[in-house]
Amino acid sequence: MLSAFTARPIVELKQRDKSKIESILAYGDRLLVGLSHGSLRVYRINEPIDEAKAHNGPAAQDHTSSPSSKPPTVDLMREEEKFSKYKIDQLAVIKEANLLVSLSNGLVSTHDLQTYELQETLLKTKGATAFAVTSNIVKDPSTCVPSIVSRLAVAVKRRVILWSWHDSELEPDTAEHTLVTGVKTLTWASGTKLIAGLTSSYVLVDIATSVVTDIIGPGSIGGAPGQDGGRFGGVGVSTINYMGLGGAAPKPLATQLGQGQLLLAKDINTLFIDVEGQSLGRRQIPWAVAPEAIGYSYPYLLALQATRGTLEVRNPETLTLLQTISLPNASQLHISQPNISLAHAGKGFLVVSERCVWRMGALEYDSQIDALVDHGRLDEAISLLGMLEDALLKDKEGRLREIKMLKAQYLFDLRRYRESLDLFTEVSAPPERVIRLFPPIIAGDLSAQAAVMHDDKREDEIQGDDVTSEGGSHGDSTSKDAKLSHTSTDESKAGTHDGTHGSGEQARRVNDGAIPEGKDLKSATAELRPFLVQARTRMQKYLNPDSTLKDARGAQKLDVSNVQEAQELLLAHAPGSEEERRQQLVATAILVDTTLFRAYMFASPSLAGPLFRLDNFCDPDVVKEKLIETRRYNDLVDFYYGKKLHEQALELLQKFGKQTQAEQTDSQLAGPQRTVSYLQGLSAENIDLILRFADWPLNVDPNLGMEVFLADSENAETLPRQRVLNFLSSKDKALAEKYLKHIIEELNDTTPAFHQKLVDIYIQGLKEGKFTDESNQEQWEEHTLSFLRSSHYYQPYKALQKLPADNPKFYEPRAIVLNKMGQHKQALEIYVFKLQDPEKAEDYCNQVQLAQTSSTMAPKQGHRSTATDLENNTTSIYHNLLSLYLSPPPPHKPQWGPALQILAKHGARMPASSTLDLIPEILPIKDLESYFRGRIRSANTTINESRVTSALRSSLVFSEEAKLRLGDGVPGGNRGRNRHVLISDNRVCGVCYKRFGGSAIKVLPNNSVVHYGCSNQ
């Protein structure tokens, strides 16, 4: 049981004193005791001085008193023997008005609070049974000035009479409310609402609006009209004696609770309501006997059982009985008004019997929490922490979190895994603490079961070592003992922190079978996975995939809130050093991801693959062992890729890819396809691995292997091309040619070395002539010629040096290269005399002519004119071809047919004088008819073009002049010289913004008007 309060008698009547205690009142350091013969005794309560607190100063004082401190003493200050002629039934104080209120002989009287002299007897209260006092701070609605309003409510038979004081001034008017039956008790629910306990029910009286509301409750609390009362009709249990019905009716009780709640109690029936009188729907308190009095001392609910002589202390939330204090013949409770101050913090309330007054001393709240935890009452500890204010506890949030984790561990031992893991998740429990609850198949070496097995094994080893080293040196023994002492100390510290109480608690859990197995383990693992996933999510707020700390401002530091939340992920508090904190975070991340992997492999192995495709901190050794054990090699490759262990992954792929069909263990890894896909995912920084492991796919399937370098991806495009080219050249010229074509044609690489290399490969291929068939050779020749024509980045003179002059296969390539060098005459000689192909010669001239024409129309920047350019400007390329046909060098003969075709088609493009000089005199004029026709047609075309151009220009000039003179004929458009503008007195110049007046103006084409002098601005 909890020991929240300790009873200490402070006032005891002597045996010769025949009076009885009827009422008490405590305020400040004063205690007023009303006796049965009408005397009033005034005591002063002397609080004991704690020497430690006095030495440390006020900062060392706690909010609660310790039971070990000295009990308070009281001194009798005075006794007012003539305070009343009759017994004093009730006492109260209105401090703001300096009044003491008493109830005696059915009358309420007011006395001076200092001298206790009678000031006034309220005659209206004759026949009063009870009264209630309240003081509240109220703002004036018109001025918003706060004032203290005190109210006195007196129950006189069926009436409730009210007196009010505003800032110690009594208002002359009183208010009365008449109820249906006699009023037994009064309790203030708020500053303007009053709970009245009637003979058979309760009502809520709103003194501001005079509205009376019936409170509907179970049993003898009250009910709707026409309904019976309690379990015995309208009669309470306490009214039944051993001879039948009879005796006094139970007293209706009421007390305020925290947070605007009240408790009503009559007989053994209870009802929780709010300040509006509405039921809160909570269950009743399980009282076996009707209490004599109830009260609320923060944060506990009190009930005085007079028949048993005990005081019950309950949790107002769970209604659990926490403590029973024996107080013989106790009949009254006295608690300070909760609406005045909460400074008492649950201490200092009084319990009264006829001969004694006990003061209840409260244990420190932290000690109360510890006691509940030690007795295993975790729910009560959690509830109590939720009700207490932060200032009353040391590290409330930390204590609450720790106790919830203990409860979660208790639920786990009861195999209520979902509730346990939900609670662990709610409090953001350290992952290490949760993982330790599982067997080694999930938690690995961190498991409590593994730790116990390790301890047993170590003990056996120690015993064996003691036997074998019995005659050893003293130094070795001392060293070994020191080592074992250090280890045990570390383990005890770890166990104490995480709530498992060291190896002893771990051994108990293992022996009790709390470690889940079989179906229980599957259920526990299924609930563990969401917890670990959430832990991963929280971890990603602080850690980058490269194990560095995150920070939005660029500095590698965490702010305070982040540090606190990050420490929740650790088993121990993070040290001051940022590097040590980072290391602990990384260790926790490794533990979380590795445990999540084990959980997936145990319950759902198919979910392990997606985990590897994300950034993770899984332990490579654990993952490798598990995946190889289950033959999940494809997942192992994905894990290696995520951890950037590319060499191990590629070695594994090579091993399984080279296996024969009979040796295959995983069809997904058979052949080079998986290796090629893996290599395509590597960046340029892994070029050494790419070239090393791309060798065997190229040997098995060159086309597939080349996809590593030819894929349409950023990785393939950013590889070091020179290294790739050297590698492929060492393998096969065809692979190098394929790669060069890709980077030149697809990626538009203009590096001269690559272009020259491709030219060399083409030439070397033609020289070697190793072709499978004629079509392959023709295709190679076609690629060679096409590239020589299209590329502008290789060096023609180097290519020309490698082209044999006497090999017919290289005639046309030499002509193309000569063209690149500007040696058109030598190129034409190859077409005319060696190839003897007039069509290709003519095509060559057409291409050159087209290139010269385009360069003339749009000259290139930075182009310098050369001697060749000047020659081309004066002599046409067709003129050179014609000279070769008509005046060939020996031993070649003139070729009249091709020459006449050139004259017929392109004669107009050649200078007439030099062309006619080339024509031999023996050539008939008739054969030159087509040439002359072409020349005449060309001249006529030029003349006609000039005439048409002149006519079009004249038409354009006429059209523009007509628009200027007559306008464009469009409504609202330009009206030519017929347009006009209106100059009013208010119109201003669009430039200087001054009025025109009589100044000269100028009308612009857009009809805007400006000063003539402003038109040039």
Side-chain angles (χ1 to χ4, degrees):
M1 296 290 288
L2 176 66
S3 297
F5 298 101
T6 303
R8 292 168 179 160
I10 58 174
V11 175
E12 293 183 277
L13 299 183
K14 298 180 180 180
Q15 292 184 355
R16 66 176 179 270
D17 192 345
K18 303 301 181 182
S19 59
K20 299 179 181 179
I21 299 176
E22 297 291 340
S23 60
I24 63 171
L25 172 65
Y27 67 94
D29 62 345
R30 292 292 187 268
L31 174 64
L32 308 184
V33 179
L35 303 178
S36 57
H37 54 72
S39 297
L40 178 69
R41 294 180 181 176
V42 181
Y43 295 90
R44 181 179 65 189
I45 301 176
N46 301 315
E47 293 289 347
I49 300 176
D50 193 334
E51 295 182 359
K53 293 182 180 180
H55 177 73
N56 296 332
Q61 297 181 3
D62 290 327
H63 298 276
T64 56
S65 62
S66 173
S68 62
S69 61
K70 297 179 181 179
T73 61
V74 295
D75 296 331
L76 180 61
M77 303 295 294
R78 60 191 295 182
E79 181 175 357
E80 296 289 337
E81 296 182 354
K82 297 182 180 180
F83 186 81
S84 176
K85 296 180 180 180
Y86 305 93
K87 67 176 182 178
I88 304 173
D89 296 317
Q90 189 176 351
L91 293 171
V93 63
I94 303 177
K95 189 175 182 180
E96 292 73 24
N98 196 32
L99 292 178
L100 174 66
V101 184
S102 66
L103 172 62
S104 178
N105 193 29
L107 285 172
V108 176
S109 303
T110 59
H111 307 261
D112 186 271
L113 188 58
Q114 304 299 327
T115 63
Y116 307 106
E117 294 181 356
L118 178 65
Q119 288 190 352
E120 182 182 4
T121 299
L122 305 179
L123 300 178
K124 288 185 178 182
T125 63
K126 185 176 182 180
T129 56
F131 68 84
V133 174
T134 184
S135 297
N136 300 277
I137 298 177
V138 180
K139 284 188 177 181
D140 186 274
S142 59
T143 62
C144 294
V145 176
S147 61
I148 299 178
V149 178
S150 301
R151 292 186 174 92
L152 169 65
V154 182
V156 182
K157 298 181 181 179
R158 294 171 51 197
R159 296 178 300 155
V160 177
I161 307 175
L162 296 169
W163 282 266
S164 298
W165 284 263
H166 284 262
D167 291 333
S168 74
E169 296 294 332
L170 175 65
E171 291 188 354
D173 298 332
T174 60
E176 292 188 11
H177 301 275
T178 303
L179 306 180
V180 293
T181 59
V183 182
K184 301 297 183 182
T185 58
L186 292 175
T187 304
W188 287 99
S190 65
T192 58
K193 293 183 179 180
L194 188 68
I195 298 291
L198 308 182
T199 303
S200 58
S201 63
Y202 288 86
V203 295
L204 177 67
V205 181
D206 191 334
I207 63 175
T209 60
S210 300
V211 176
V212 179
T213 305
D214 292 329
I215 298 177
I216 308 301
S220 57
I221 296 293
Q227 293 183 351
D228 292 334
R231 286 173 281 184
F232 301 96
V235 183
V237 174
S238 62
T239 64
I240 304 175
N241 56 26
Y242 65 93
M243 297 183 62
L245 297 176
K251 185 179 180 181
L253 306 175
T255 184
Q256 286 188 357
L257 304 177
Q259 300 177 351
Q261 300 181 10
L262 292 95
L263 171 65
L264 309 182
K266 188 175 184 182
D267 199 355
I268 62 172
N269 298 301
T270 58
L271 177 66
F272 291 91
I273 62 172
D274 58 15
V275 293
E276 302 296 332
Q278 301 298 320
S279 173
L280 298 178
R282 297 178 57 184
R283 65 185 180 90
Q284 297 192 52
I285 300 175
W287 280 325
V289 180
E292 181 68 20
I294 61 174
Y296 177 75
S297 180
Y298 179 84
Y300 296 108
L301 176 63
L302 309 174
L304 184 61
Q305 302 285 356
T307 57
R308 297 182 176 181
T310 59
L311 176 67
E312 293 184 355
V313 180
R314 293 180 181 268
N315 185 329
E317 287 188 351
T318 64
L319 307 183
T320 303
L321 179 62
L322 299 178
Q323 184 181 6
T324 301
I325 305 174
S326 177
L327 299 171
N329 301 321
S331 59
Q332 294 183 42
L333 282 174
H334 178 74
I335 304 172
S336 300
Q337 298 183 32
N339 59 334
I340 294 179
S341 174
L342 201 60
H344 65 283
K347 68 177 181 180
F349 72 93
L350 306 175
V351 183
V352 184
S353 70
E354 292 181 350
R355 308 288 300 175
C356 182
V357 177
W358 290 276
R359 182 175 182 180
M360 310 306 295
L363 185 69
E364 292 183 357
Y365 289 124
D366 289 306
S367 300
Q368 296 181 33
I369 299 299
D370 293 337
L372 290 172
V373 173
D374 292 340
H375 288 84
R377 310 191 73 170
L378 302 179
D379 287 330
E380 299 301 326
I382 293 172
S383 176
L384 181 59
L385 281 169
M387 291 185 293
L388 291 173
E389 297 178 357
D390 295 351
L392 302 179
L393 293 166
K394 299 176 182 178
D395 189 19
K396 174 182 176 180
E397 294 297 329
R399 294 294 304 276
L400 182 61
R401 179 170 177 261
E402 176 64 26
I403 295 174
K404 285 186 176 181
M405 286 191 287
L406 290 176
K407 179 183 177 182
Q409 183 172 329
Y410 174 72
L411 293 173
F412 190 90
D413 293 343
L414 295 179
R415 293 178 173 82
R416 295 162 62 179
Y417 302 118
R418 174 167 294 184
E419 299 176 42
S420 173
L421 270 300
D422 287 346
L423 191 54
F424 275 129
T425 303
E426 176 187 340
V427 299
S428 300
E432 181 176 348
R433 182 166 184 171
V434 180
I435 296 170
R436 182 172 290 152
L437 303 176
F438 287 80
I441 192 174
I442 301 297
D445 295 337
L446 187 64
S447 171
Q449 187 175 3
V452 172
M453 295 173 61
H454 177 71
D455 291 342
D456 295 341
K457 181 178 179 181
R458 188 177 62 181
E459 289 178 2
D460 295 340
E461 292 177 353
I462 292 173
Q463 293 176 0
D465 292 341
D466 291 342
V467 174
T468 57
S469 61
E470 187 171 351
S473 64
H474 177 71
D476 294 341
S477 175
T478 303
S479 175
K480 183 183 299 181
D481 292 342
K483 182 177 181 181
L484 293 176
S485 175
H486 177 72
T487 305
S488 61
T489 302
D490 292 342
E491 291 181 354
S492 63
K493 289 181 180 179
T496 302
H497 175 76
D498 63 10
T500 57
H501 305 290
S503 59
E505 177 67 17
Q506 295 177 6
R508 182 198 62 77
R509 295 186 69 254
V510 174
N511 296 331
D512 292 345
I515 304 295
E517 297 177 351
K519 293 183 178 179
D520 291 338
L521 181 56
K522 281 191 173 292
S523 301
T525 304
E527 301 301 331
L528 175 66
R529 291 187 321 213
F531 171 82
L532 295 176
V533 170
Q534 187 184 54
R536 289 190 78 249
T537 303
R538 286 186 286 132
M539 191 69 66
Q540 291 172 357
K541 297 179 181 179
Y542 312 107
L543 280 180
N544 292 310
D546 58 353
S547 302
T548 58
L549 294 177
K550 283 186 176 180
D551 184 67
R553 295 169 296 181
Q556 296 298 319
K557 294 182 180 179
L558 298 175
D559 57 355
V560 176
S561 62
N562 285 351
V563 170
Q564 293 177 352
E565 188 173 351
Q567 289 176 353
E568 293 177 357
L569 302 174
L570 301 175
L571 180 62
H573 290 291
S577 171
E578 183 174 319
E579 177 60 24
E580 293 180 2
R581 185 188 306 117
R582 185 195 65 81
Q583 292 176 0
Q584 292 195 29
L585 283 172
V586 172
T588 305
I590 293 174
L591 175 63
V592 169
D593 286 354
T594 304
T595 306
L596 182 60
F597 162 72
R598 287 194 181 105
Y600 282 146
M601 292 301 297
F602 177 75
S604 302
S606 59
L607 296 179
L611 174 64
F612 300 148
R613 298 182 186 98
L614 303 174
D615 294 327
N616 62 83
F617 291 87
C618 293
D619 187 351
D621 295 334
V622 175
V623 173
K624 179 180 178 181
E625 178 183 357
K626 282 286 184 182
L627 293 180
I628 292 179
E629 179 183 347
T630 56
R631 296 192 173 188
R632 302 183 68 86
Y633 303 108
N634 196 34
D635 291 339
L636 181 57
V637 171
D638 291 338
F639 172 73
Y640 280 149
Y641 181 81
K643 303 298 288 184
K644 297 184 179 180
L645 302 174
H646 303 305
E647 185 172 4
Q648 292 90 323
L650 291 169
E651 288 175 351
L652 184 66
L653 289 173
Q654 183 176 358
K655 172 184 175 182
F656 287 100
K658 290 184 176 182
Q659 287 180 346
T660 62
Q661 188 172 3
E663 298 173 343
Q664 285 182 5
T665 56
D666 192 340
S667 59
Q668 295 182 348
L669 303 182
Q673 177 62 51
R674 191 70 175 84
T675 301
V676 171
S677 300
Y678 192 97
L679 292 173
Q680 288 177 340
L682 299 182
S683 59
E685 62 186 11
N686 300 294
I687 183 61
D688 294 329
L689 287 175
I690 294 174
L691 299 181
R692 173 183 167 190
F693 287 95
D695 184 71
W696 77 271
L698 289 172
N699 295 334
V700 176
D701 188 346
N703 292 330
L704 179 61
M706 283 300 296
E707 290 299 320
V708 176
F709 311 106
L710 306 183
D712 186 12
S713 64
E714 183 179 358
N715 289 336
E717 294 177 3
T718 55
L719 292 176
R721 295 174 182 175
Q722 187 61 51
R723 293 194 60 183
V724 174
L725 179 60
N726 296 338
F727 169 73
L728 294 176
S729 298
S730 64
K731 294 288 295 180
D732 190 353
K733 298 295 183 182
L735 299 180
E737 181 261 343
K738 190 174 184 179
Y739 180 71
L740 287 170
K741 285 185 62 177
H742 171 74
I743 63 175
I744 292 174
E745 297 177 2
E746 301 294 335
L747 305 182
N748 298 321
D749 194 321
T750 59
T751 305
F754 294 152
H755 288 254
Q756 188 64 43
K757 181 66 175 178
L758 184 56
V759 170
D760 296 342
I761 291 176
Y762 280 139
I763 295 175
Q764 187 65 28
L766 290 176
K767 288 181 178 181
E768 294 177 355
K770 297 179 181 179
F771 303 107
T772 56
D773 51 20
E774 292 183 2
S775 61
N776 190 10
Q777 180 179 358
E778 292 176 358
Q779 185 179 6
W780 187 272
E781 293 175 353
E782 182 179 353
H783 290 167
T784 303
L785 297 177
S786 176
F787 183 74
L788 289 174
R789 289 193 186 96
S790 60
S791 176
H792 302 283
Y793 300 100
Y794 65 91
Q795 297 180 0
Y797 70 92
K798 289 186 178 181
L800 186 63
Q801 292 176 356
K802 296 182 180 181
L803 293 172
D806 55 351
N807 192 335
K809 291 192 300 183
F810 297 96
Y811 288 162
E812 189 168 1
R814 285 182 62 86
I816 296 174
V817 173
L818 290 170
N819 178 23
K820 295 290 184 179
M821 299 174 64
Q823 304 295 330
H824 301 300
K825 187 173 183 179
Q826 297 180 18
L828 288 175
E829 288 179 353
I830 294 175
Y831 285 113
V832 173
F833 302 121
K834 293 184 178 181
L835 293 177
Q836 297 182 359
D837 191 341
E839 293 182 0
K840 289 186 178 181
E842 183 179 356
D843 292 338
Y844 177 86
C845 292
N846 293 336
Q847 294 175 5
V848 173
Q849 179 66 23
L850 182 61
Q852 292 177 350
T853 304
S854 60
S855 63
T856 302
M857 295 177 62
K860 297 182 180 179
Q861 294 182 358
H863 177 72
R864 296 181 179 178
S865 59
T866 61
T868 305
D869 294 332
L870 296 175
E871 183 181 353
N872 289 339
N873 291 336
T874 58
T875 305
S876 172
I877 185 65
Y878 298 103
H879 188 274
N880 294 334
L881 180 58
L882 182 62
S883 64
L884 292 176
Y885 282 142
L886 298 179
S887 303
H892 302 289
K893 296 181 180 181
Q895 301 179 26
W896 306 108
L900 292 175
Q901 291 181 0
I902 291 298
L903 287 172
K905 294 180 180 179
H906 308 285
R909 294 188 175 93
M910 295 181 288
S913 58
S914 59
T915 301
L916 293 176
D917 291 341
L918 291 176
I919 298 175
E921 297 179 356
I922 60 174
L923 187 65
I925 297 300
K926 182 178 181 182
D927 295 337
L928 297 175
E929 179 180 0
S930 59
Y931 166 71
F932 290 118
R933 287 182 179 275
R935 293 291 301 182
I936 295 172
R937 187 179 295 111
S938 176
N940 292 336
T941 300
T942 304
I943 294 173
N944 292 334
E945 286 180 355
S946 62
R947 290 176 179 176
V948 171
T949 302
S950 177
L952 291 175
R953 291 184 181 276
S954 299
S955 177
L956 181 61
V957 170
F958 179 79
S959 175
E960 293 299 326
E961 186 176 358
K963 287 182 180 180
L964 292 175
R965 293 177 178 273
L966 303 178
D968 54 11
V970 178
N974 182 15
R975 300 183 61 185
R977 291 187 175 182
N978 293 329
R979 59 182 175 149
H980 64 277
V981 293
L982 178 63
I983 305 299
S984 63
D985 294 338
N986 296 327
R987 189 160 184 174
V988 296
C989 173
V991 177
C992 65
Y993 300 103
K994 295 181 180 179
R995 294 182 180 180
F996 291 108
S999 303
I1001 64 173
K1002 185 174 183 179
V1003 181
L1004 301 179
N1006 60 355
N1007 289 337
S1008 60
V1009 183
V1010 296
H1011 287 110
Y1012 189 82
C1014 296
S1015 60
N1016 295 326
Q1017 296 181 6

